[in-house]
Amino acid sequence: MRGARSAKWVVSAIVVAMAATACGGGDDSGDGDGEAADIVRVDGGEPQNPLIPTNTNEQFGALVIQNVFSKLLDFDDNGEIYMVAAESVESNEDNSVWTVTLKDGWTFHDGTDVTAQSYVDAWNWAANIDNNQNNSFWFQDIVGYEDVHPAEEGAAPTADAMSGLQVVDETTFTIELTTPVSYYDYKLGYDAFTPLPESFYDDPEAFGEHPVGNGPYEFASWERGRAIELAAYDDYQGDDAAQNDGIEIKNYETLAAAYQDLLSGNLDVIRQVDPRDLPVYEQDLGDRAINQPYNGIQTIVPVWYNWEDTDPRVLQGVSMAIDRETITTTVLNGSRTPADSFVAPGVYGYQEGASGGITDYDPERARELVEEGGGVPNNEIAIQYNSDGGHQEWVEAVCNNLIENLGVTCVGDAKPDFATDLEARDADQVVSMYRGGWFQDYPLIVNFTKELYASYAQSNYGRFNSPEIDELFAQGDAAATLDETVAAYQEAERVLFEEMPAIPLWYQNVNGGYSEAVSNVRFTAAGQPVLTEITVN
Amino acid sequence: MGRYVVRRLLQMIPVFIGSTFIVFMMMYALPGDPVRALWGERAPDEAQMAALRADLGLDDPILIQYWHYLTGLLQGDFGTQIASRREVIDVIGQALPATLRLTALAFLITVVVGVGMGLLAGLRAGKAIDRGILFLTLLLISVPVFVLGQTFQTYFGTRWGWVTPTVQDSEDWGQLFLPAIVLASLSFAYVARLTRASIVENRRADYMRTAKAKGLTRRRAVSVHLLRNSMIPVVTFLGVDLGNLMAGAIVTEGIFNIQGIGGTVYRSLNSREGSTVVGIVSFIIVVYLVVTLLVDLLYAVLDPRIRYA
């Protein structure tokens, strides 16, 4: 009897436990509208931030934002500008005031008109420090930014709006800059410079879950942890209207799982295959495989606080001791393209062979240069990287090159994850060199040089400091036309190869592909598929 | 018995508080700052970081932060994620159903297949079937779960098309079957070994002879007396294993694309989302505590000599 009574207790405890867990279980799924519509399924993941253009700076959120919103202007594969939502973007003579004229007749997905005010209000809101937007710094060139976004920590804004933004009429507004910039229109091509509808301000939090934009697709639904659905917007006024009925962005835990789905017809477009599948994917997919460089570069960056007294020729030698061609084709399975410049090829201002041979593999010349420069300090190099990002293999390969060709000791300095890696960089605690990665904000040479190697640049974790380079950048920024700017920056790049603030390794490649169910799949120089052009067979 | 259960439930409170404290402090001790991480490779805007920290209460001393967290927890508030500004309870609630389904299915397979094979092997000890089961279980124990998972996925999913290679809809039990087998494989191999050893030992026990002497059928002697008495070590293992199946399914979840607890806690750890990690770990701790209690109670059911007062 004793046993039976105990059993009763066990049963009731189980019932309580089941009842407690059942609360989480009962969500209903409302799918079942059939596959009649031409929906393109593309791989994605859980967006990290709320879906507000000025708060999104990682790939999964950006994939949604870039299709739900249309920017003022965009870039072709050579980094040249074309207009999208803007009729024109023009500067005054000294590039201090920019006038944006919008195309007529555009509407948000809720039916309200897109006006100059929609842009100005959105930017003022995003720049305001109280609204905690990750991308607020994008508005720092505009007059009055200091008033809505004071630089001192803890200070409150003194104004609601930036005085540099002025609405002229329904479709025109002006942007006044604190310092003239000849290429400000390039910055306007970033995701943050998009308009927001009136309804946004009523409830930004709800908007973050269901954004309403002005782009080719309207946001349809978000089934957390499974998929985000976008539907083609019928009243879209732009030239890039969707050629399909909608997009389903499926959530994947791993790239390998997405690839299996692509092979079995449960996914249409994969944006990147897992390193594990790199050796086979071109064979599996045939001409449906895509392998092309995009505007991202990987470098190794010597930290100046430890390398300052070393002759730059040593670093040139280190650069020439690395066999980029072999590493990219073997260790990296063709997922990178050897770099010959600090700038990626799809960027305006890129010059083929800008390195002048310093990125070529030449072990003998490498040894000579290192000797002429007085040798590697302590004969030791360590490359810091985050070990959760698949970098270990190539770091080891690069080290092997250096050990073999220069007779130095070289080790990988692994940090367990990116957060730890960044902390060491922020605190100036990198031992020797770190793995640098840079992806374009806008495809102009400025973005790949000044933002990384100017002494005052915030992302200059190597703390490289060269008055000569700073001066050349300043000349470029002060130039009257874009071409003069680019010329000055190209000269600066030449000098960069003399001073070696970083060693360019290779450009990132898109290793993507698509299923037999779709056609017209193309990736941009920004590394993203052009979803609007895809047709379903 | 009732008082025993109440006492055990009360004991859970300090254990729960202590473990959340330890996990909270461990998250805090990790290098890397979650607010800083929002800017990635790019240098952050100091003023904006300060404003965000103040907004999220991350500028308070760590003990105050823990106090806020704990008092929030008692009111059912698990906190808010730093990057997504979502309620942590929503994040957990989104990942939990899939994990619970997968765990339930895997656990069922573990119990049914594991005990079944163990019983068979134990009763036929030394015969061909015993050797066959020994071989199979040793194989499953030695093959890493990602090898098994990817092999099954490639053959049953991609090559032969019997099932979809990944789980398209985690509410469909049929699709969860393959991942559940992979997840359960290691456990049921262990359970089979444990059961077999226990059965072989007890088969010759005095009570089995008595049962035979008083004329019980073999079927009844095995199912009521032998099996029940042999279950104690197995139940102990199953109790611990339930927690492992739930929290440790990250590899299986990754292969079959199940958006469950394992992947969520891994991502949160990487982006230093402290409140999410502590929330999930606390939940797992509660699961462990409750299961251990159930196991202890089950001892009394299985062996009437064990009594709780």
Side-chain angles (χ1 to χ4, degrees):
Chain A
M1 273 295 103
R2 188 86 213 173
R5 272 235 315 278
S6 309
K8 227 160 51 193
W9 273 101
V10 174
V11 169
S12 44
I14 292 177
V15 168
V16 170
M18 298 270 267
T21 50
C23 318
D27 52 334
D28 54 330
S29 69
D31 61 302
D33 49 347
E35 290 289 295
D38 287 345
I39 303 294
V40 178
R41 297 160 301 175
V42 58
D43 76 298
E46 189 75 15
Q48 201 186 66
N49 307 303
L51 294 171
I52 299 171
T54 46
N55 212 13
T56 297
N57 53 8
E58 47 77 47
Q59 56 152 336
F60 297 133
L63 184 64
V64 178
I65 293 295
Q66 286 165 358
N67 287 289
V68 170
F69 288 87
S70 274
K71 299 186 284 191
L72 287 170
L73 48 88
D74 213 333
F75 311 100
D76 66 15
D77 288 349
N78 299 316
E80 293 193 45
I81 289 176
Y82 63 88
M83 296 296 145
V84 184
E87 181 73 47
S88 68
V89 175
E90 277 158 8
S91 65
N92 65 348
E93 236 158 67
D94 70 349
N95 299 316
S96 62
V97 179
W98 290 73
T99 305
V100 177
T101 311
L102 302 172
K103 284 181 182 153
D104 266 336
W106 281 53
T107 52
F108 287 108
H109 303 146
D110 62 2
T112 55
D113 290 338
V114 179
T115 63
Q117 198 70 44
S118 324
Y119 283 86
V120 171
D121 288 348
W123 300 0
N124 279 327
W125 185 88
N128 195 308
I129 192 162
D130 290 341
N131 294 324
N132 289 328
Q133 297 297 291
N134 296 347
N135 292 336
S136 50
F137 64 89
W138 275 97
F139 303 101
Q140 66 193 3
D141 303 318
I142 301 173
V143 171
Y145 177 76
E146 285 287 301
D147 302 332
V148 295
H149 197 111
E152 314 88 76
E153 289 180 20
T158 55
D160 289 339
M162 294 180 277
S163 55
L165 290 178
Q166 292 296 333
V167 174
V168 177
D169 60 39
E170 266 302 86
T171 56
T172 318
F173 64 100
T174 58
I175 309 164
E176 192 187 340
L177 307 180
T178 49
T179 42
V181 179
S182 66
Y183 52 87
Y184 192 68
D185 43 354
Y186 270 88
K187 291 197 172 187
L188 292 177
Y190 191 74
D191 298 344
F193 293 94
T194 38
L196 292 171
E198 254 328 287
S199 59
F200 167 81
Y201 306 96
D202 299 337
D203 191 351
E205 211 169 296
F207 187 94
E209 307 252 310
H210 192 112
V212 175
N214 62 336
Y217 291 101
E218 58 183 314
F219 194 89
S221 68
W222 186 351
E223 204 185 315
R224 289 275 187 185
R226 207 192 71 77
I228 290 177
E229 283 170 18
L230 310 179
Y233 177 48
D234 295 334
D235 291 332
Y236 184 63
Q237 299 296 315
D239 300 330
D240 55 337
Q243 301 301 308
N244 46 57
D245 294 332
I247 304 292
E248 182 184 353
I249 301 172
K250 294 178 77 170
N251 203 333
Y252 285 97
E253 288 277 309
T254 59
L255 295 174
Y259 186 67
Q260 293 298 322
D261 263 6
L262 183 82
L263 290 183
S264 60
N266 292 303
L267 182 71
D268 295 320
V269 179
I270 188 166
R271 299 179 305 141
Q272 188 69 34
V273 304
D274 189 78
R276 185 194 89 186
D277 299 314
L278 280 175
V280 294
Y281 90 103
E282 287 184 302
Q283 203 180 333
D284 285 349
L285 300 177
D287 54 8
R288 290 180 286 114
I290 289 168
N291 186 357
Q292 65 184 53
Y294 67 87
N295 293 342
I297 188 169
Q298 248 172 20
T299 56
I300 42 181
V301 185
V303 287
W304 231 241
Y305 40 88
N306 290 334
W307 284 84
E308 195 175 8
D309 303 325
T310 310
D311 192 310
R313 277 178 295 183
V314 174
L315 289 164
Q316 290 178 336
V318 170
S319 173
M320 294 183 78
I322 301 168
D323 187 356
R324 294 170 177 75
E325 198 69 51
T326 306
I327 295 176
T328 50
T329 49
T330 57
V331 180
L332 293 167
N333 282 308
S335 62
R336 312 280 199 284
T337 304
D340 58 357
S341 159
F342 283 105
V343 183
V347 172
Y348 194 70
Y350 164 80
Q351 295 165 290
E352 212 177 318
S355 68
I358 288 169
T359 51
D360 295 346
Y361 180 52
D362 186 345
E364 252 166 62
R365 181 84 190 108
R367 259 192 305 276
E368 277 170 34
L369 279 167
V370 170
E371 266 165 43
E372 283 168 26
V376 173
N378 301 326
N379 249 1
E380 259 175 24
I381 290 176
I383 302 172
Q384 175 179 311
Y385 65 99
N386 50 318
S387 56
D388 63 344
H391 302 299
Q392 189 190 346
E393 289 78 9
W394 68 255
V395 168
E396 277 171 10
V398 167
C399 266
N400 283 340
N401 276 168
L402 299 183
I403 292 167
E404 217 167 282
N405 297 326
L406 301 178
V408 297
T409 52
C410 176
V411 289
D413 178 7
K415 302 287 177 197
D417 52 24
F418 191 50
T420 317
D421 178 54
L422 271 182
E423 188 167 270
R425 290 196 223 171
D426 279 337
D428 288 358
Q429 281 169 353
V430 180
V431 177
S432 166
M433 300 188 179
Y434 68 84
R435 171 198 78 86
W438 189 254
F439 174 69
Q440 69 161 25
D441 296 313
Y442 49 94
L444 186 64
I445 185 168
V446 179
N447 191 236
F448 281 77
T449 50
K450 188 175 84 168
E451 305 273 356
L452 292 170
Y453 309 120
S455 62
Y456 49 84
Q458 286 175 326
S459 299
N460 178 357
Y461 301 107
R463 314 299 175 211
F464 172 73
N465 187 344
S466 158
E468 187 188 359
I469 295 282
D470 285 355
E471 175 56 32
L472 284 166
F473 288 158
Q475 278 173 24
D477 286 351
T481 65
L482 182 63
D483 288 340
E484 286 169 43
T485 301
V486 169
Y489 271 92
Q490 285 174 339
E491 169 63 15
E493 193 193 356
R494 196 186 56 72
V495 181
L496 281 177
F497 273 106
E498 286 170 11
E499 310 215 351
M500 297 300 282
I503 299 169
L505 292 177
W506 34 67
Y507 308 120
Q508 302 272 9
N509 279 18
V510 172
N511 298 101
Y514 52 97
S515 73
E516 278 158 348
V518 295
S519 334
N520 300 318
V521 182
R522 174 173 77 88
F523 281 72
T524 62
Q528 292 301 324
V530 185
L531 298 181
T532 50
E533 289 179 4
I534 300 174
T535 52
V536 178
N537 300 336
Chain B
M1 188 79 183
R3 274 179 56 196
Y4 174 76
V5 173
V6 171
R7 205 168 65 224
R8 283 288 298 267
L9 287 173
L10 286 176
Q11 278 171 3
M12 287 181 189
I13 295 171
V15 174
F16 180 76
I17 293 179
S19 48
T20 50
F21 181 75
I22 292 172
V23 179
F24 199 90
M25 289 301 156
M26 282 160 93
M27 280 308 291
Y28 183 75
L30 281 181
D33 174 351
V35 176
R36 164 71 185 84
L38 291 176
W39 278 268
E41 195 94 17
R42 176 178 275 290
D45 173 345
E46 297 288 340
Q48 192 71 75
M49 278 211 298
L52 251 173
R53 281 210 189 91
D55 206 42
L56 292 160
L58 294 174
D59 52 354
D60 291 331
I62 179 67
L63 286 175
I64 306 266
Q65 282 186 42
Y66 177 69
W67 176 248
H68 286 320
Y69 180 78
L70 197 64
T71 46
L73 209 57
L74 294 179
Q75 295 157 23
D77 177 11
F78 278 65
T80 312
Q81 282 203 320
I82 294 162
S84 71
R85 320 274 161 87
R86 284 178 77 199
E87 296 281 329
V88 171
I89 190 82
D90 291 347
V91 177
I92 298 178
Q94 169 203 324
L96 200 54
T99 295
L100 286 181
R101 282 189 206 100
L102 183 66
T103 309
L105 203 53
F107 191 70
L108 194 72
I109 294 172
T110 305
V111 173
V112 173
V113 180
V115 173
M117 287 203 316
L119 185 63
L120 204 62
L123 292 177
R124 302 261 188 285
K127 306 259 171 58
I129 188 138
D130 182 30
R131 299 225 180 81
I133 288 175
L134 176 69
F135 175 77
L136 178 71
T137 50
L138 283 181
L139 188 74
L140 288 177
I141 290 170
S142 53
V143 174
V145 67
F146 63 88
V147 173
L148 196 67
Q150 289 180 358
T151 313
F152 279 16
Q153 181 183 52
T154 308
Y155 283 94
F156 298 133
T158 317
R159 294 266 170 88
W160 301 336
W162 294 359
V163 291
T164 52
T166 64
V167 175
Q168 306 292 317
D169 176 6
S170 67
E171 285 177 24
D172 182 343
W173 291 91
Q175 294 190 12
L176 284 177
F177 196 61
L178 191 63
I181 290 178
V182 171
L183 182 60
S185 62
L186 186 65
S187 304
F188 78 64
Y190 275 126
V191 168
R193 306 298 319 151
L194 272 174
T195 312
R196 180 195 177 275
S198 201
I199 294 271
V200 168
E201 193 185 309
N202 287 332
R203 207 165 53 145
R204 309 202 191 289
D206 292 345
Y207 64 81
M208 282 304 283
R209 222 168 356 150
T210 312
K212 205 170 179 183
K214 72 179 182 185
L216 288 188
T217 57
R218 179 175 159 80
R219 188 189 179 80
R220 189 163 168 78
V222 167
S223 62
V224 175
H225 296 282
L226 179 59
L227 199 55
R228 183 163 153 183
N229 277 291
S230 306
M231 276 296 105
I232 287 193
V234 179
V235 164
T236 311
F237 174 80
L238 284 175
V240 181
D241 198 49
L242 187 64
N244 284 343
L245 289 177
M246 197 170 235
I250 176 160
V251 176
T252 316
E253 282 178 8
I255 294 171
F256 294 101
N257 199 37
I258 300 163
Q259 324 278 338
I261 289 287
T264 306
V265 80
Y266 176 75
R267 272 194 306 274
S268 311
L269 197 59
N270 254 344
S271 53
R272 303 286 188 269
E273 290 279 4
S275 51
T276 316
V277 175
V278 182
I280 292 177
V281 174
S282 312
F283 173 76
I284 301 287
I285 290 170
V286 170
V287 170
Y288 268 106
L289 289 173
V290 171
V291 170
T292 327
L293 174 60
L294 287 179
V295 167
D296 285 350
L297 294 181
L298 267 175
Y299 287 163
V301 178
L302 293 171
D303 186 345
R305 285 168 299 184
I306 299 173
R307 291 174 187 210
Y308 297 114

